[in-house]
Every structure is written in C-alpha cells, then in structure tokens.
Amino acid sequence: MSRPSEPVEPSPPPSVSEAAGTPLSAAEGKNAIDEKDEIEGNETRQRDGTDGGHGTGGGVATVEGGGASDGDAEKEWLRLHPLTPFLLFVRRLLSFALPIIAIFFIRPQSSWIVFFILSAAIGTIAGFLHYLHFRYRLDRDEIVVRQGIFRRTERNVPYSKIQNLDLTRDLIDRVSGLSKLSLETASGTEPEAVFAWIRPEQVEEIRRKVLAARSSVPAVPGALSTDALPPNAEAADHDRGGLNRGMSDRSVSERGMSDRGMSDRGVSDRGVSDRGVSDRGVSGRGVSDPGPSGGRLAPDLVSAGSQFDASGAMDDGRTKVVHKVPLADLLLLGLFSLRGLAIFGLALGLAFEFDLFITDVEDARSVFEFLSGLGGPPAITYGGAAIALLFVITLASIVLTIVEFYGFTLSSAGAELRNRYGLFTQRTGTIPRGRIQILEVQSPVHLRRFRRLRLRAGTAGGSTEGGAGRTWLVPVFKEDDLTPILEEVQPETPMDRRDWLPVHPGTTSRLRRRAIYWSWIATVIGVLLWGRWGALAMTLLPFGWFYAKRVAEHLAYSQSEDAIYARRGWLRRVTQVVKLNRIQAAEVIEKPFDRKWGMATLRIDTASPTGGRLEVPYLPQEEALRLQRELIREANRRRFKW
Amino acid sequence: MRVQFGGGHCRKGLLLALTETPPLPTSTFESQPPAIGEIPADRGVDFEPDGHFYRIEKAWTQVQQLGGVFRTLILSGILAGVAIPLIVSGSEPWIRMGAPAVWLFITVLSLTHAIVWPILSYRRYLYRVDESRLQIRRGVLWREVLDVPRNRIQHTDVGQGPIERQFGISHLIVHTAGTTSASVRLSGLREDVAYKLRDELLGAQDVETI
C-alpha cells in the first residue's frame, strides 16, 4: 500500500468534517455519496472492490446502520493542505494590496476601500469553502476528485489517461513549501483537476502513480520508456526553481512524462534531463510556439526547441523533403485566390476613412465624368476600368500568395512533419504525425482544371500548445504527387480509392425539391421587394436543378480496414479521411426533414478542434446505423494516442 | 427518497471485475439496430451493461420542468421590466395594449414549452452500454443516436445540481478528447446507477485494444 508517509490531512478536526458533510447530506438525510465514502473506505483501495460494493442493498444498510466507520472513510479521502484557505487569503491580499495602498494614500475616505475589503473577504470565504469541499483519493487505477458546493461533482480520472502534470511554484508556494499541481487529460483545454495546494510528497505520489500506469499500459508505438525521466527530476526542479529564478514566479511543466510530449519530438528528446536550458525562451517551433509568455516552461519542449535552433535549418540528416512547392504552382494558386480582394476592400475602407475617395454622389459623378472624359465608347471605357481593377486585384492576390507561401517545403523527420514557408517572415510548423486527426484533400474547380490539389490536416493539441487546428500540409500540388505525399504523411490511408459507396438514392430528388422550395421563397420575397423584376429569382431553379444532380453524384463514403473516407462538394470538392483510431465518437442524426426520406447524417468526431469532423449526410438510416456500429466497434479496439 | 434495488447483479459485477472479463452479451450486435424513429423496448431504470436499452428516471421530467419554470420566471421578469414602462407611458394605444399581450404570449409559450417538452423528450431518452460503446438515443425533432467508444473515455464526472438533489437524481458526464463530443452528458440517473455506469465505463477500458 503506497500511502504517503505523511498524509496531508488524514483526519481533520471534527468541526471541519461536519461542515463538509452538511451540504452533502442536506437534501435527504444521508446521501449515497456519503455512503460511498464509507464503503470505499475499506482496506483494499481498489476500484474492483468497490465495483460491487456500492449499489448493493447491503451496503446501504451498513451505512445507515453504523456511522462508526466514518473515521476510515476520512482516511481514504485526502484534503488539500490546511494552509490552503490561508494561502488563498494571502494571495488575494497581495493582489489587492497595491490598489488598497494607493487608495489609502490618495483618498483615505474613499468607499473603494470597503469594496476591496469586501471582495477580499468574499474571496477568502469562497476559498475556505473550496477547501472544505475539495477532496481527492488516489485509487489503484484512477484519481477521484470530489468538489462543489451547490453543484457537487465527483470526477474520476484514470492515471493512464493523464497527459500532463503541471507543477507551479510561485513565491508564496515556495515560502510555504507547498505545490500547486494541475493535471490534464486529452479532453478539453482546461486542466481536469487543480490541486492547490498540496505537499510535494503528494505530488510525488501522484506522479509515481501516473508513471506506473503508463508503464503498465501495453506498449504504444511512439511512447518512449518513461524511465528516461530521473525519478527525482521533479524534486530537482523544485531546487532549481529556488536557485535559478530567485524570487520570480515560475512554473515547471512535467512534460517529460507525457506520452504526447515524448512521441512528438521523437527520439531526439531523450534529453529530458537536460534541464539546464529550460529557462531560456522557446523559439523555432513556429506557429505552435508555446512561448515563455504563457507562464509555462516545458523542459523537454524547450530542449527540443533549442536543439532545433542550433541546427539552424531543419536539414539535419534525418529530415527528408517530402514536397517542395514550385513557384509556378504558387502563381496558379494566387491567380484564383481572392486575397487581393481583401486588400482592395481594405484600401477602399481606408480611403473612405480618410476622405480620399468617393464619399458622396458628387465624387462618384466626378469619377464617371473623368472616365467618360477619356473619350471613346462608354462600354469600352467602363469595361477597361473594370478589367484594370480585376488585373490589379489578381496581381495583388498572386503577390500575397507568393509572399505567404514562398518556398513551401514539407519535410519529414522521424515521427514528425515540418513545413517551412514564407518570403519575408519565414514560418515553420511542426506537425507530429500522431497528432493528425483528419486529412482533407481539396479540389477547387479552378485548380481542378490544372490538375492541382490541396492537402490540409486537422491536428489536435493539448492546452499547453497552441498547435491544434488546421494547417496546410501542402497548399497546392500536382494530382500525381498525392500518392507520394500521402505515403509520407499517413501511408495507411491512400486516398485514391475506387470503392466509393453512394448515399441515399433519393438525394438528388431531395436536393431538387429543396431547390424548388427555395426558388419559390426567393421569388416571393423578390416580387414583394422589387415587383416584377423580383420574378427573375426563378432563374435560380435550373441552376439548383443542375447543382442537385452534381452534388448528389459526388457525395459518397468509403471504408477501409484503417479508415473512413468521405467526399462531398461540387465546385469545391473535398475528400476527407479519418483513421479509425482517431474516432472519438460517432453520431447519427435524424433532422426533421430527414424523417420523410428515411435519411440520416453520420457525424464522426475527432480531437481536432477546428474542422475536425467528418460528415456523411443523406445516408439511408439503416446504413448510417450500421456504419456507426461498425466504426465504433473498430474504434474501441484501437488505442487512441496523441 | 430511498431507492431499493436488488443485490444479485452487483455480486456478478464484483466477480466480473475481479476476473477482469467484461460482460460480453451476445445480443449486443443485433443484426439491425432499432430505427432512429422508433422507441426501442427498454428494461426500465435498473441499468445493466448488457446491451439492452435502459430508461432514465421519470423524475428527470420534473427536474427539467422545474428548471424550465425557473427560466420562464426569469425571462418573464426581465420582459416585464421592459413591458411595464411601455404600458405605463406608452405613447400610442397599440403599444399600451400590445406590450402586455406580447409579454403574456411569450410567457405562456415559454411555460408551455417548459412543461411539455421534458415529457416529450423523456419518451425518447434511452441509453445502453455494450462491449464497445455507450449509446445514447434522444431528441424529439432532431433525433440523435450518439455512440462513444468505451476506450475513448478520458474521465468522468458524476454530479448533482441543486434541483436534481431534491429529486434524488444525478447526471453522468463522460469526457472524450473529441470536439463536439468533448463532454457527453447523460442526465436523470439514480445516484447508484450513475456510479455503476461510471464504474462500468471506466472499468473495462483497456481490455482488448490493438
């Protein structure tokens, strides 16, 4: 039994436990949460033991019968350090100290002082209540945190799911000798639990358990042995924190233990123990640079960053260039991008703002007069002006595109992909392969003519890195290059699939019917607004008719052993792929209009926060449910890792 | 409210937990899952991880209704704050007449919704757990069938709001690394059922993964 040698507060004074117990049992006498306390307060400390334990009629009876086991229960549940309310108070006082002193000297009679004192008092009471209601327990497989006053929650976090342990020690913490620990899983952006404050021994125990859970987990490719971490690394951190940084606030992020942190940076990051560099600023991670301003320093991240810098370029032998975008392709991309339009809009806006341009009818007339003053037939004059404008916008688009993407290079280095691009400010991005949740090949109609595609990835990241989101893996490339690029990016999911399955056969009819309804609505509105001319909205109908056919034809999905594919769109065709082990959940939705047609939408959720969703609309309902069932069964057989 | 329940299944649960073999019902992967539109047959509220559908507590309806009534009160209070000045000092007669009418209309509509909607949703609110997933079926107009694979569950919350406490029910929140399904909430569970469900979902996680 790995109880801490010095428990934080095994048996608080009776009054405290009374107070803590009151809201729990306020509603209906003794509550099941309380009962659970006692049932789980047995010697085993194992979930297994409790699985059958609570919920049995016998268990309830025992509890109601005897409150004698109360002491045992308290032993199991740990509290924050009793100094917590005091530290919260001190912290609040410090944060209010400056304004209070200032006000005191400037306007001693000011009622603001009352306000500050009041809010400090309220904050302190809140802190005390937080302390009273916060309890946690270190079980065999998971950590259990119970908190909340009105809205009580009990949170179970399995050790094996913990990605990050962040340890913060600022001045107050160091004086008190206590630590603030936050733990994060792959879920959400907020830490899943914050322990402020607990003893360093407790931190050590939690860390040990997390590490143990990690090593007991079946070998995961990419997860390096956690033994690389010196067992007392964190203790060393404490010392160094005290020595190096003097009195300034600092935080140490226990990234070394995270599966994610390690697999991302590949083998080179064995040097987690090279802590000497961690006080330096981070650079070279490009877009997803956590930066020192975040108040977090991740030792292994930093060492990776500095190594990255030291090598200057990314071509350090192990990297291999996957694709380099030639200038001609960028030209093509810029030709049809509407970047220039944005500049045009901006210029227009500025001109209006500073009165440099057309501000009223008079000025507009003067422009027209100027144009007609040039002589020649008006059609040619105005047409020429429009073409000139278009030309300028296109030119601006091309220039902007080239400035942004100049020399775009995607290279692969061990477990990660890197892209580097930009003419003036060169940007570099690091995309660990394991972080890719969804791949998207885009084929916009203008590039399709030139047999060019675009490849985008939706990535996931923890709260510590801003790297999650969508990134261009290659902004434009030849169709023939798709296979070799994918070979490097995600070889398991070739995208030149043949076995596409169609969606519901009624899709075309449904889309056409929708086109009819909408063109009616548009016509009615048009006629109401503009009279006879509004009827022109009816001309939308043939377009909608044609559109329905093309969209329905292109909508399809495909399954492979490793992934699910979906394609959609007409003018802007998109093909997406999600590997089965990246599926987080699957949802089949029947919208009101689906009901009549027997259709449903299948929606697959991944960990990529933006655009990380794969959707197949207009599926036959049985097919959607079958697909969902199969995908979930497969997803459940595969481990999700970062 | 003290709920009674049998002890037999729990003994089974303990045995299974010790031998670390999750329950693998054969009925789980029925050849064709029940259609989205139909309300599948359920086995009441005493949850078992056997792949059958279970219902949430009927009291959930009242919790929702009560919450809805509270929201209606707040809404109509705010609206009254807008309407009363208009009634008192409205420049036009139609404003003086219209303001209370609109207020009444919105309040009645909101109240009706608060009372009726939970009853409708309750009918279609079912869940089940089988060897690979937690499935929740719900929704009246937009009907959804949500599947969460067991081993994607990152952590769980069992919680109880102030109104829920009055009715002795809890909710379970299952957190995944996903985006739209980052936290999946299953409401209206009896407290012991919530804990049982949680133990079931967290317990047999890392079995049989590739």
Side-chain angles (χ1 to χ4, degrees), chain A residues 70-213:
Chain A
D70 239 277
D72 289 342
E74 287 299 329
K75 261 181 216 158
E76 286 304 318
W77 285 98
L78 303 173
R79 285 177 183 280
L80 297 172
H81 194 274
L83 274 177
T84 298
F86 177 70
L87 289 179
L88 282 171
F89 170 71
V90 171
R91 176 157 297 203
R92 202 155 286 270
L93 212 61
L94 284 181
S95 62
F96 279 127
L98 218 61
I100 287 180
I101 290 169
I103 290 169
F104 189 75
F105 277 107
I106 298 165
R107 289 181 59 190
Q109 256 67 52
S110 168
S111 57
W112 278 103
I113 287 189
V114 180
F115 166 76
F116 277 122
I117 289 173
L118 213 64
S119 62
I122 289 170
T124 310
I125 292 169
F128 194 65
L129 287 176
H130 169 73
Y131 165 72
L132 284 184
H133 290 98
F134 190 101
R135 281 187 258 175
Y136 68 101
R137 197 177 64 196
L138 305 175
D139 281 359
R140 197 191 59 169
D141 303 324
E142 61 189 4
I143 191 162
V144 189
V145 178
R146 184 181 283 182
Q147 57 182 320
I149 299 160
F150 296 111
R151 186 176 282 274
R152 291 178 298 138
T153 57
E154 180 173 314
R155 171 165 290 188
N156 296 53
V157 188
Y159 295 123
S160 56
K161 301 284 184 188
I162 295 175
Q163 299 272 351
N164 246 357
L165 288 179
D166 281 336
L167 190 68
T168 324
R169 306 194 89 210
D170 62 12
L171 175 59
I172 300 176
D173 306 340
R174 225 165 305 130
V175 169
S176 64
L178 300 175
S179 310
K180 177 179 169 183
L181 180 77
S182 5
L183 53 92
E184 289 172 13
T185 68
S187 169
T189 49
E190 294 293 307
E192 266 60 50
V194 180
F195 302 93
W197 285 262
I198 51 177
R199 282 185 198 279
E201 297 91 291
Q202 288 290 302
V203 174
E204 181 57 31
E205 191 186 350
I206 294 174
R207 202 181 73 94
R208 232 187 0 248
K209 291 201 175 231
V210 173
L211 281 177

Side-chain angles (χ1 to χ4, degrees), chain A residues 490-516:
Chain A
Q490 199 163 276
E492 314 90 291
T493 60
M495 287 176 95
D496 49 347
R497 298 193 63 78
R498 296 273 168 269
D499 50 348
W500 288 102
L501 299 169
V503 294
H504 197 288
T507 305
T508 314
S509 314
R510 182 175 168 183
L511 289 175
R512 283 188 172 156
R513 192 161 299 189
R514 196 170 68 180
I516 293 174

Side-chain angles (χ1 to χ4, degrees), chain A residues 23-24 26-28 30-33 35-36 40 46-57 60 64 137 140-142 144 146 149-158 160-163 185-188 192 217-218 580-592 595 599-600 603 605-610 612-613 621-626 628-629 632-640 642, chain B residues 1-7 9-11 13-14 17-18 20 28-37 128 130-135 137 139-171 173 175-185 191-192 194-196 198-210:
Chain A
L24 296 180
E28 308 154 65
K30 212 130 174 42
N31 222 308
I33 285 196
E35 288 148 18
K36 232 168 95 31
E40 294 185 352
Q46 294 181 357
R47 280 177 35 96
D48 297 351
T50 63
D51 268 342
H54 64 80
T56 58
V60 174
E64 291 190 330
R137 197 177 64 196
R140 197 191 59 169
D141 303 324
E142 61 189 4
V144 189
R146 184 181 283 182
I149 299 160
F150 296 111
R151 186 176 282 274
R152 291 178 298 138
T153 57
E154 180 173 314
R155 171 165 290 188
N156 296 53
V157 188
S160 56
K161 301 284 184 188
I162 295 175
Q163 299 272 351
T185 68
S187 169
E192 266 60 50
V217 159
L580 296 182
N581 63 353
R582 303 283 197 266
I583 296 176
Q584 296 295 335
E587 208 174 350
V588 172
I589 303 154
E590 185 205 60
K591 294 168 190 165
R595 209 154 296 152
M599 295 177 182
R603 185 183 288 168
D605 193 25
T606 75
S608 174
T610 47
R613 230 163 54 175
Q621 282 192 2
E622 308 92 61
E623 184 63 7
L625 288 170
R626 180 198 65 79
Q628 178 190 36
R629 192 187 55 194
I632 290 297
R633 183 163 45 176
E634 285 305 310
N636 191 51
R637 294 181 59 225
R638 288 151 212 261
R639 178 175 295 280
F640 169 69
W642 290 93
Chain B
M1 188 164 98
R2 167 65 48 227
V3 271
Q4 290 300 324
F5 39 90
H9 54 78
C10 299
R11 212 167 293 283
L14 177 65
L18 288 177
E20 292 224 315
T28 306
F29 292 117
E30 62 268 283
S31 54
Q32 184 57 50
I36 308 172
R128 61 171 167 177
D130 62 28
E131 59 182 18
S132 61
R133 64 187 166 167
L134 161 70
Q135 181 174 78
R137 289 184 171 230
V140 178
L141 286 179
W142 268 260
R143 295 175 186 159
E144 60 169 357
V145 179
L146 173 65
D147 274 9
V148 181
R150 278 169 174 250
N151 73 356
R152 295 301 191 275
I153 297 172
Q154 296 285 334
H155 60 275
T156 60
D157 289 339
V158 172
Q160 208 174 37
I163 304 180
E164 285 176 323
R165 202 171 313 158
Q166 300 308 313
F167 290 89
I169 63 173
S170 310
H171 58 257
I173 301 179
H175 297 264
T176 73
T179 315
T180 46
S181 61
S183 53
V184 175
R185 188 187 171 107
E191 195 152 23
D192 61 290
Y195 283 120
K196 184 172 183 187
R198 176 205 64 191
D199 290 344
E200 176 58 36
L201 290 174
L202 282 185
Q205 263 202 354
D206 288 324
V207 186
E208 231 202 314
T209 47
I210 291 177

Side-chain angles (χ1 to χ4, degrees), chain A residues 501-557:
Chain A
L501 299 169
V503 294
H504 197 288
T507 305
T508 314
S509 314
R510 182 175 168 183
L511 289 175
R512 283 188 172 156
R513 192 161 299 189
R514 196 170 68 180
I516 293 174
Y517 293 148
W518 278 113
S519 59
W520 278 359
I521 292 171
T523 308
V524 168
I525 292 174
V527 168
L528 286 177
L529 287 180
W530 299 294
R532 200 170 299 167
W533 287 102
L536 276 177
M538 261 300 171
T539 54
L540 287 173
L541 187 54
F543 173 78
W545 205 260
F546 177 69
Y547 170 85
K549 178 90 180 146
R550 302 309 297 267
V551 165
E553 273 174 2
H554 195 250
L555 264 176
Y557 70 96

